[in-house]
Amino acid sequence: MKITNLYLETNNLAHSLTFYQNTLGLSIVEQTETMVRFQAGETLLTFTENKHQTSFYHFAFTLAINHLEQAIAWAQANQIELLPSPKNEIITHFDTWKAKSIYFWDLNGNLLEFIVRSDIQTTKEQPFSPKEMLNISEIGIVTSHPMVTAEAIMQQTGLQYFSKSEPLPEFCAIGDDEGLLIFVSPERNWYPTQLKAQPSAATIELEVKHNIHTIVASDWI
């Protein structure tokens, strides 16, 4: 599965521009007074301004397998605070998922993640910069009934539960290493923070076996 387009809301478009254009250095594909679209690897990331709603998201960018340590150095050089794990480590090791991650905030309080996966052995000769990320590979969807929601979307798309994660009533994932939809119950903390998960409007376009599906997160709250 691939996340081809991710549409999110922001109550401060200027902050989104400052962070994703200036700090991350992502290229702007399209921009209006109320919307900006960035190229994030193979994924298009769009923020639309909604000043009447505060939205928070958690999503992850996959990096080349040889770029994680370079990404840490890049973050430190750009005064981006990396969030420690409960073990007070900068890198979180997800042994079951065969992945390693680092976490940080954007200027609107969204929780971002750089992740490398052992089963995606893409390497890059170019030194790391965020423009070298592969794609957006995870997005959290907050819903009162994670497994019910996941199974409805599985029926719609033909996806299956992620083979490396046992589905639980309060947390489950569907898809594969290339792309995951992660369903969590409200008020669960987003790892590794004390930020409570809360429903926020999002539209996700997925490519599954060459077919395009559109998921509207607000339909599943």
Side-chain angles (χ1 to χ4, degrees), residues 200-217:
S200 296
T203 299
I204 308 124
E205 290 185 4
L206 312 174
E207 182 181 329
V208 183
K209 297 180 179 179
H210 305 295
N211 295 315
I212 301 298
H213 301 273
T214 300
I215 305 299
V216 181

Side-chain angles (χ1 to χ4, degrees), residues 135-190:
N135 56 20
I136 295 175
S137 60
E138 296 180 9
I139 175 67
I141 297 175
V142 184
T143 171
S144 299
H145 305 286
M147 290 184 69
V148 173
T149 300
E151 287 173 11
I153 293 176
M154 286 160 59
Q155 186 173 12
Q156 173 187 341
T157 60
L159 292 167
Q160 299 295 321
Y161 282 119
F162 185 39
S163 62
K164 298 173 182 174
S165 179
E166 178 186 359
L168 301 171
E170 71 281 1
F171 178 96
C172 58
I174 63 176
D176 52 37
D177 285 311
E178 282 194 313
L180 290 169
L181 302 180
I182 297 176
F183 303 90
V184 302
S185 55
E187 298 306 305
R188 178 188 172 97
N189 289 350
W190 285 124

Side-chain angles (χ1 to χ4, degrees), residues 43-146:
T43 307
L44 290 173
L45 172 62
T46 302
F47 288 99
T48 300
E49 190 165 54
N50 181 351
K51 293 184 178 180
H52 305 291
Q53 180 66 42
T54 300
S55 299
F56 296 108
Y57 304 96
H58 174 30
F59 54 101
F61 303 96
T62 293
L63 308 185
I65 196 74
N66 60 316
H67 270 173
L68 189 63
E69 295 290 346
Q70 294 180 40
I72 293 171
W74 169 87
Q76 294 168 340
N78 286 275
Q79 287 84 49
I80 293 176
E81 180 182 0
L82 297 177
L83 305 175
S85 74
K87 296 181 180 180
N88 202 33
E89 297 172 338
I90 292 300
I91 298 177
T92 296
H93 296 258
F94 296 102
D95 294 336
T96 303
W97 288 35
K98 298 182 181 179
K100 296 185 289 187
S101 295
I102 58 175
Y103 296 85
F104 54 99
W105 304 109
D106 74 3
L107 293 180
N108 287 321
N110 297 308
L111 179 61
L112 308 186
E113 177 182 352
F114 284 159
I115 187 168
V116 297
R117 305 175 189 274
S118 296
D119 288 337
I120 296 181
Q121 285 290 318
T122 301
T123 61
K124 288 198 170 187
E125 293 184 2
Q126 302 94 324
F128 172 79
S129 79
K131 285 189 175 182
E132 298 300 325
M133 66 178 64
L134 303 184
N135 56 20
I136 295 175
S137 60
E138 296 180 9
I139 175 67
I141 297 175
V142 184
T143 171
S144 299
H145 305 286

